[in-house]
Structure formats: structure tokens, C-alpha cells
Amino acid sequence: MERTEHDMESEHRLEPYKIIAYGGEGEIEEKKSRFIAHVSAADTEEEALAFIEAMRKKYWDARHNCYAYVLGEQAQTLRFSDDGEPAGTAGRPMLEVLMNSGIRNLVVVVTRYFGGILLGTGGLVRAYTKAAQAGLAASDVRTMCYGYKIDVVTDYNGIGKIQYLLGARKLSPEADYGEQVQVKVMVPYEEKDAVVHEVTEATAGRAEVTVSDPVYFMRE
């Protein structure tokens, strides 16, 4: 059976993922120990390591600066460090928080100032988990969707209809007004065919519609 272009596109469809638009800071206290979490976006391992080093310099007097990071749209690169804490009590729990969040291309560093009371392995796991969660909660998280950029060239009679139907889908077009109107809009993968059909129908086929190759884009 011959595969259609739609079938082949579906095979390569990638799921949405989240990114950090702006990193945040969170802090918890556990039996007089302070756990300070800093979160940052990182597109490369070099950026992640530079952020980790910056946090180490900032908190040079802390006993531990543990970290975890997840890089790549499909989480291809995973790294973590307990930085002197008992193995498995800091970096790995933090990495699990990142993975469970669905966020990609980010790094979290949790700094611990020891309060004089031992927490035990279970207590450390809970503390580093809660600190990482607090850092994420304080961050601005956005969703990256797989889809298409659609360019539409239309006359002034058609622009109102196009803006209405795109607005109804909660899409955010950009319009450039000249002799004709050029509209650019990012459209989720599953809505592409419907949007092209609606634009064509709304303008009685007079609009010129161009669809890009599929890409990831930030959904507001």
C-alpha cells in the first residue's frame, strides 16, 4: 500500500515540549538547612556549565552546589551532580523533577547551606526535590509546539475575515499593510489543513497561501 505525504509527515511528528522563557529562584528550609534553587534556560552544554559555574562563584561559601540539566527537544542530554552529597540524594532527584515537568533546555542549581542537623538520605531527597520544584514554580515556562508558518497575501476586503478566523483559533498573526496585506501566523501541526481551508474559503480563493516546512515555535 502506497503511503501518502500526510502519512509520512505523521510518522515524523514531534510532541510539544516546554522551555524556560525566564528562569526563577526558589528557596526552602529543612531542619535549619537552606536550599536555594536557581533555574535558567540553556540551549547547549556550554551554556549549562557556564551557569553552574556562575552559581558556584556566587555561593562560594556554601557546602554544596548540586545541579541537573536537560538538553534537546527530546531530552537527548541528561546530566546531574550530587556535589558531595550522598550518592543519589540530590542530582538525580532534581533531574527527575526536570524530566517530570516536561521542560527541556534548562539547568537547575540547588545550593545548600548546612544547618547543623543531618537530614538522612530520605530527607535530602525530599529537600532537593522540593527546592527544584520551587525554582521551576518561580520560572516563566512556555510551550513549544510543532507546526508551520503560514504566509497569506490578501486584499483589504479579505483581511477582516482572516483576522476573525485566526482569532477564533487563538492564533496571533502579524500583518504588514501595503498595496496588499501580508499576514504571517504560526499554526499548530494539527490545525494547518483546517486553517488553509478556512482562509481559502473566506477569501473565495483569492488569497495567496504559502506553508513552510514544519518547525517548532513558541505558543503564547
Side-chain angles (χ1 to χ4, degrees), residues 4-207:
T4 66
E5 181 179 351
H6 177 75
D7 293 332
M8 288 185 284
E9 280 187 357
S10 297
E11 289 178 6
H12 296 288
R13 180 185 175 185
L14 301 177
E15 293 302 316
Y17 66 95
K18 300 174 184 177
I19 64 167
I20 296 292
Y22 299 101
E25 176 184 344
E27 180 175 342
I28 69 163
E29 184 173 319
E30 197 75 27
K31 294 182 179 179
K32 298 185 179 180
S33 281
R34 293 175 61 204
F35 295 83
I36 307 167
H38 288 272
V39 177
S40 175
D43 292 326
T44 65
E45 202 150 15
E46 289 76 16
E47 289 181 5
L49 294 174
F51 180 75
I52 293 165
E53 185 59 28
M55 291 300 101
R56 283 175 172 162
K57 289 181 179 178
K58 180 177 181 178
Y59 297 103
W60 59 270
D61 58 339
R63 179 169 291 193
H64 306 284
N65 286 288
C66 307
Y67 67 80
Y69 57 86
V70 178
L71 305 179
E73 296 165 357
Q74 304 303 308
Q76 295 95 324
T77 302
L78 309 174
R79 300 283 187 272
F80 62 88
S81 169
D82 296 311
D83 193 34
E85 294 281 29
T89 63
R92 184 172 290 280
M94 291 159 55
L95 181 65
E96 290 177 359
V97 170
L98 301 190
M99 291 300 295
N100 290 336
S101 72
I103 305 172
R104 302 293 178 257
N105 294 333
L106 81 163
V107 53
V108 58
V109 178
V110 174
T111 300
R112 181 190 181 190
Y113 283 98
F114 184 54
I117 300 175
L118 296 176
L119 301 183
T121 56
L124 286 172
V125 169
R126 287 190 296 272
Y128 278 101
T129 296
K130 287 164 58 178
Q133 290 170 338
L136 290 183
S139 301
D140 184 359
V141 179
R142 305 291 177 88
T143 299
M144 298 293 289
C145 291
Y146 195 56
Y148 302 85
K149 183 178 78 169
I150 295 181
D151 289 326
V152 180
V153 178
T154 185
D155 56 30
Y156 281 80
N157 292 325
I159 184 60
K161 296 177 182 178
I162 292 173
Q163 289 178 325
Y164 174 79
L165 68 88
L166 294 179
R169 289 183 172 274
K170 298 183 178 179
L171 301 176
S172 302
E174 296 180 0
D176 183 17
Y177 296 88
E179 289 187 9
Q180 290 187 301
V181 185
Q182 184 174 12
V183 179
K184 298 180 180 181
V185 63
M186 300 303 302
V187 177
Y189 181 94
E190 61 275 8
E191 296 184 43
K192 183 254 292 183
D193 292 341
V195 168
V196 171
H197 173 75
E198 289 172 4
V199 168
T200 302
E201 191 173 68
T203 61
R206 291 191 297 272

